[in-house]
Amino acid sequence: MSQKITGVKGMNDILPGDVEVWQHVERTTRELFSLFGYGEVRTPMVEDTALFVRSVGETTDIVGKEMYTFEDKGGRSLSLRPEGTAPAARAYIEHSVANQEPVTRWFYMGPMFRYERMKTGRYRQFHQIGAEGYGSKEPAQDVEMMDMVVQLLLKLGLTDVSLNINSLGDDACRPAYQTRLVEHLRAHASELCSDCQVRLEKNPLRVLDCKNERCQQIASAAPNILESLCEPCRAHFAEVQRKLDALEIKYVVNPRIMRGLDYYTRTTFEFIAAHPVLGTASTVGGGGRYDKLVKSLGGPDVPAVGFGLGLDRLCLLLKESGQQFGRATDLFIAVADEGSADAGFTLTSRLRREGFRVEFDTRGGSLKSQMKRADKVGAVFTLVLGEAERQSGQAQLKRMAGGDPTPVRLDELAQTLRTALKAH
């Protein structure tokens, strides 16, 4: 007996029954983001490894521990994309988009890959919705991004999600803060986890993003980055808050919001859900400003801001919300005898071309088994087709929920069904 092959650990199948939730989120996202003037971009799932080393940061956990990296047959080091911002920036530069338009707004959806410890809402193949805005350094662009996420969450019916915001400063003020932070962390160096002891030497800001309980306690007593902002960064952050207030978007100023990537400057934000279904993976999305990223990758000196949302986590929350997704089966056509199979098959095809969702069991079988199938697929109406119906050209349209059947001419079935569905 051959050994059963299973899926790769941490990379999940999405089957009918669940995929309708995903389709609902994707459809809602496309409709909403288009209202904001964002166009969809699709980048490859594999990129040159150097792209992520230069953008995400060599000392981040993503690059240091989590990327799926391999050498192809040409001897090139390639990686499955662990996030979407760097590939979008690479495409923006490669296609000289800055020369074509002063402001660019993109969004994307798709799988990302990180080899990390798995738990609810955190997988090795996970899916993201992301957006990037290039060309505007104004606080209004930051707030537009947050507003877009807020509106998406509202359209999805996810109201128990809070917005946390912070500013990381820039090259003018962050070094002074980093000096103060290092002084604080060195006083507790022996208490930090082994990873943070390395981060302390290479990238101390990353210690503030550690999930280790003791490291979090030490970080909570660290200097507040907002107290070290230079005047331009302070003014930028104040304007972000003023515009959020103007849009009546509720938020919490949280100086511990750092994000896990090296390219952020000034504004950072996270959307945090309170629902227990996510466990410790309570952040459903986040982002911020990265004004130096495009230039650091060899492109023009163009400011940018963006975000990423965990599609897996959004879908977990939606499944817990009790909402219903997916279109019901309008009609199930059953056949009472073998001689009616062709007529039933033809009628099914004709109604599908009219835009109805119609189920037909190609296996045939007893009428009882077909009606069980009609119940399982959640058909609103059923119609039984036998020799008598074929000869008379008339049948009975029956509501599965009960009630008197409706006589219907087979050549007028589409019109009658459409009227009945509207009434339903």
Side-chain angles (χ1 to χ4, degrees):
M1 182 177 177
S2 61
Q3 184 177 2
K4 182 172 71 171
I5 298 175
T6 60
V8 177
K9 189 175 183 181
M11 300 185 182
N12 303 319
D13 301 310
I14 306 169
L15 305 180
D18 288 330
V19 78
E20 290 82 3
V21 182
W22 290 67
Q23 291 169 339
H24 173 70
V25 177
E26 292 163 352
R27 183 168 54 251
T28 304
T29 297
R30 286 191 170 93
E31 292 172 354
L32 175 65
F33 287 11
S34 69
L35 299 180
F36 280 74
Y38 285 68
E40 184 172 2
V41 61
R42 302 186 185 189
T43 62
M45 284 186 283
V46 177
E47 297 275 0
D48 190 316
T49 301
L51 172 65
F52 302 112
V53 174
R54 288 172 59 184
S55 61
V56 175
E58 192 168 5
T59 60
T60 62
D61 286 349
I62 293 173
V63 171
K65 299 179 180 180
E66 297 171 359
M67 283 206 307
Y68 282 90
T69 299
F70 60 95
E71 188 176 286
D72 73 356
K73 292 183 179 180
R76 294 164 294 195
S77 179
L78 303 178
S79 295
L80 295 176
R81 61 187 184 195
E83 56 93 41
T85 292
R90 190 268 310 148
Y92 177 81
I93 296 166
E94 185 171 341
H95 298 281
S96 302
V97 179
N99 296 333
Q100 304 167 35
E101 53 192 15
V103 176
T104 299
R105 292 178 171 92
W106 283 351
F107 78 92
Y108 51 83
M109 304 181 197
M112 313 291 169
F113 303 85
R114 297 181 193 174
Y115 190 89
E116 60 180 342
R117 187 174 301 169
M118 292 180 300
K119 57 183 72 175
T120 301
R122 181 172 286 128
Y123 311 110
R124 290 175 179 168
Q125 176 178 307
F126 58 101
H127 299 75
Q128 275 193 347
I129 297 168
E132 317 291 341
Y134 304 100
S136 173
K137 63 181 180 180
E138 304 302 322
Q141 186 63 54
D142 307 19
V143 175
E144 179 182 89
M145 288 280 179
M146 291 181 253
D147 184 29
M148 196 155 65
V149 178
V150 168
Q151 292 198 37
L152 176 62
L153 294 173
L154 288 174
K155 282 186 174 295
L156 295 175
L158 299 177
T159 57
D160 195 16
V161 181
S162 64
L163 168 61
N164 284 224
I165 64 172
N166 190 25
S167 175
L168 299 184
D170 60 15
D171 293 343
C173 55
R174 194 185 301 176
Y177 170 73
Q178 189 159 305
T179 298
R180 295 175 60 205
L181 176 63
V182 168
E183 290 175 356
H184 170 77
L185 295 177
R186 286 200 190 285
H188 302 275
S190 62
E191 304 171 62
L192 296 172
C193 70
S194 57
D195 287 338
C196 282
Q197 289 176 2
V198 174
R199 292 168 182 151
L200 176 57
E201 302 303 324
K202 294 186 175 182
N203 190 350
L205 283 175
R206 295 281 293 111
V207 175
L208 301 179
D209 197 48
C210 182
K211 301 301 185 287
N212 177 280
E213 184 176 352
R214 181 53 185 151
C215 292
Q216 288 183 340
Q217 292 173 352
I218 295 169
S220 67
N224 186 331
I225 192 170
L226 296 177
E227 297 173 355
S228 297
L229 296 181
C230 61
E231 187 52 39
C233 288
R234 193 183 305 277
H236 185 100
F237 192 51
E239 185 65 7
V240 166
Q241 295 175 73
R242 191 186 71 80
K243 288 189 178 328
L244 285 170
D245 291 337
L247 297 183
E248 300 183 342
I249 294 175
K250 295 180 180 179
Y251 61 90
V252 175
V253 176
N254 182 350
R256 305 303 169 196
I257 296 294
M258 289 290 158
R259 308 295 297 151
L261 310 176
D262 283 357
Y263 49 61
Y264 287 110
T265 56
R266 291 192 173 177
T267 307
T268 55
F269 55 88
E270 289 187 353
F271 287 87
I272 301 173
H275 202 290
V277 70
L278 297 181
T280 58
S282 58
T283 300
V284 297
R289 180 162 287 281
Y290 45 91
D291 289 341
K292 304 298 182 182
L293 177 61
V294 175
K295 186 177 181 180
S296 73
L297 293 175
D301 190 4
V302 173
V305 60
F307 66 79
L309 298 172
L311 183 50
D312 309 75
R313 298 178 189 183
L314 290 176
C315 290
L316 281 172
L317 290 172
L318 277 177
K319 287 178 67 176
E320 291 293 315
S321 72
Q323 300 179 54
Q324 298 297 313
F325 303 97
R327 177 179 168 182
T329 298
D330 298 325
L331 175 68
F332 187 96
I333 295 179
V335 293
D337 52 70
E338 188 175 341
S340 300
D342 283 349
F345 188 60
T346 301
L347 181 58
T348 298
S349 178
R350 192 178 80 207
L351 289 171
R352 287 169 176 166
R353 296 179 195 190
E354 292 279 348
F356 296 101
R357 182 170 180 175
V358 185
E359 287 273 355
F360 177 80
D361 196 333
T362 56
R363 302 168 301 173
S366 68
L367 191 56
K368 182 179 179 181
S369 68
Q370 292 179 71
M371 296 308 290
K372 283 184 178 180
R373 177 67 182 170
D375 186 57
K376 185 175 182 179
V377 301
V380 179
F381 292 97
T382 59
L383 183 140
V384 177
L385 193 62
E387 184 177 359
E389 287 77 16
R390 287 189 288 118
Q391 293 295 329
S392 66
Q394 293 187 335
Q396 299 288 323
L397 189 63
K398 183 177 180 182
R399 189 186 301 273
M400 285 291 285
D404 296 331
T406 301
V408 58
R409 288 179 54 87
L410 294 179
D411 58 2
E412 297 177 353
L413 178 56
Q415 180 180 343
T416 305
L417 179 59
R418 188 170 284 111
T419 301
L421 288 169
K422 286 182 179 179
H424 173 75

